[in-house]
Amino acid sequence: QTRNPLDFKEIFFDDQLAIAMSVEEGDDKDYQIAFEYDLNAKPPFTKNRRFRLYAVSGFCVCLAITSLILGTIILFREQPEAAGIEMDLNSGAIWEAKVEMAGINVEKWFVQFVSVVPGASNTTSIAHRAARWIISEDPMKLQYYAENLIQRYLLVLFYLTTTNDGKMPWRSCNEPKSGENSSCIYNRFNRVPNDTIVYDLIEKTSWLSGKHECDWVGNICDDNKNLRALHLMGQNISGTIPEDLINLSNLQSLKLAYNEFTGTLPTVFASMRQLLSLEVHGNNLIGTFPSEYFSATSLQVLNILDNQFTGTISSEIMRLENLRGLH
């Protein structure tokens, strides 16, 4: 169909093409001049097939990396520990995963720990918690071949067991808090002549500090740094008396009097041939006096008074021919 020339607005440029746009007569003033078309122009990059392929691939990679990071954070985030002696399942398992990722081989340490406390391999146990402290938290930073590794481990286990991993601290000289040094003011139990109990304040060394365990208050060692005596009287120590103390092979004197121990007197101590003195008076021990102690012929001092034992002590006690003090 033939149109009036006024129906089109034709634009021409030198050496270029222009696009003529159809307009109604009289309305051309409302339209801009024709759009210029560049023969060398490329389509917009968002419509480029290769661009779209790269964009999708990049998005997938970013999504995978983000998922991996979030998964790692969730896996290794510390979980609150349970209120009882048993530790939360994740606390030990997460720790083992962390040290493995860090390339730290802890198997050599655990071979030592499990040899004296089989439960140390259980990630939910207080024995495993003590192992973690030795390996990762101990300021002394012992190696697995250290001569005092087992002795220190057993004493750490004793402390963590009787304080419920620090939640029920002793009367004095507990594990130093952040920023504290190894010194502490020890409340030493003292019974004066009128039978009144007082506490003398003296400067000593805290348990679980960076000092040698022989320096921790209440520990008495020989010249070779072997523990010979563990004396902690009147320190509000509660729970049952830990049987793992039997593995302190050089221990000759155990004095845990005037604390708050409950349960029965461990029978395993009767097999400690090197044990010369056992004093657990002034606690809340129950049951009958174990007959196993009638064979503990090395005992020289036995004090079990002021507990809640029942029954009578058999005449078999006379077999303890080396006994010099029985209370």
Side-chain angles (χ1 to χ4, degrees):
Q1 181 178 359
T2 304
R3 287 176 177 261
N4 189 312
L6 294 178
D7 290 345
F8 294 91
K9 185 173 181 67
E10 297 179 341
I11 307 300
F12 296 94
F13 297 95
D14 295 337
D15 301 326
Q16 293 181 336
L17 293 177
I19 300 174
M21 299 181 61
S22 174
V23 299
E24 295 295 330
E25 185 176 10
D27 292 340
D28 59 318
K29 64 180 181 299
D30 297 327
Y31 292 86
Q32 296 180 350
I33 195 167
F35 297 102
E36 181 179 351
Y37 178 71
D38 185 355
L39 293 174
N40 297 316
K42 297 181 179 179
F45 68 88
T46 56
K47 295 183 178 181
N48 187 287
R49 181 175 299 174
R50 180 175 297 177
F51 167 80
R52 292 197 298 269
L53 177 61
Y54 289 162
V56 172
S57 300
F59 174 77
C60 292
V61 171
C62 291
L63 182 62
I65 293 175
T66 302
S67 300
L68 179 61
I69 293 174
L70 290 176
T72 302
I73 293 174
I74 293 173
L75 177 62
F76 295 117
R77 182 175 56 197
E78 291 290 352
Q79 302 293 330
E81 294 188 345
I85 283 295
E86 291 294 318
M87 299 295 99
D88 184 270
L89 172 63
N90 288 334
S91 59
I94 289 176
W95 177 86
E96 288 193 347
K98 283 182 177 179
V99 295
E100 183 177 354
M101 290 186 64
I104 302 174
N105 183 6
V106 297
E107 183 178 353
K108 293 180 179 179
W109 274 278
F110 273 93
V111 167
Q112 303 275 9
F113 299 146
V114 173
S115 67
V116 291
V117 184
S121 60
N122 182 351
T123 58
T124 68
S125 69
I126 194 69
H128 191 277
R129 172 69 184 97
R132 303 200 304 269
W133 190 91
I134 289 287
I135 298 172
S136 299
E137 302 174 40
D138 187 359
M140 201 172 193
K141 300 184 184 302
L142 292 181
Q143 294 298 319
Y144 67 90
Y145 48 79
E147 291 184 1
N148 64 320
L149 178 67
I150 295 302
Q151 177 174 274
R152 192 173 180 86
Y153 169 71
L154 290 171
L155 291 173
V156 170
L157 178 57
F158 173 79
Y159 176 84
L160 294 179
T161 300
T162 56
T163 63
N164 194 8
D165 195 13
K167 299 179 182 68
M168 299 174 61
W170 299 344
R171 178 184 293 273
S172 58
C173 291
N174 293 278
E175 178 183 11
K177 297 179 181 178
S178 178
E180 295 181 346
N181 57 32
S182 58
S183 297
C184 66
I185 301 301
Y186 182 57
N187 296 186
R188 183 175 63 183
F189 179 92
N190 185 17
R191 173 168 276 176
V192 295
N194 64 358
D195 213 29
T196 300
I197 295 175
V198 297
Y199 288 91
D200 302 324
L201 304 183
I202 56 176
E203 185 173 353
K204 289 291 184 178
T205 301
S206 298
W207 277 65
L208 272 64
S209 66
K211 299 290 187 178
H212 195 284
E213 64 276 8
C214 286
D215 296 327
W216 297 348
V217 64
N219 294 337
I220 303 173
C221 297
D222 59 23
D223 293 339
N224 295 319
K225 298 288 186 180
N226 296 315
L227 186 71
R228 294 294 184 178
L230 175 57
H231 294 171
L232 290 168
M233 295 179 61
Q235 295 304 303
N236 293 347
I237 306 176
S238 59
T240 58
I241 299 177
E243 295 186 357
D244 296 313
L245 292 175
I246 189 179
N247 294 303
L248 292 168
S249 57
N250 295 297
L251 190 66
Q252 294 179 314
S253 177
L254 180 60
K255 186 183 294 186
L256 300 174
Y258 297 107
N259 283 292
E260 299 176 10
F261 285 110
T262 56
T264 59
L265 180 64
T267 59
V268 294
F269 295 161
S271 63
M272 298 174 70
R273 298 303 179 189
Q274 79 284 359
L275 189 64
L276 305 178
S277 175
L278 177 62
E279 300 183 64
V280 292
H281 51 289
N283 283 284
N284 297 303
L285 301 178
I286 61 174
T288 59
F289 181 73
S291 60
E292 287 81 357
Y293 283 92
F294 301 148
S295 299
T297 55
S298 297
L299 273 179
Q300 297 178 10
V301 176
L302 177 61
N303 194 336
I304 59 174
L305 283 177
D306 296 328
N307 281 286
Q308 299 180 38
F309 291 119
T310 56
T312 58
I313 296 180
S314 169
S315 59
E316 290 290 306
I317 194 73
M318 302 300 296
R319 294 169 53 188
L320 304 181
E321 56 187 25
N322 291 314
L323 205 59
R324 299 292 181 267
L326 174 61
H327 308 279

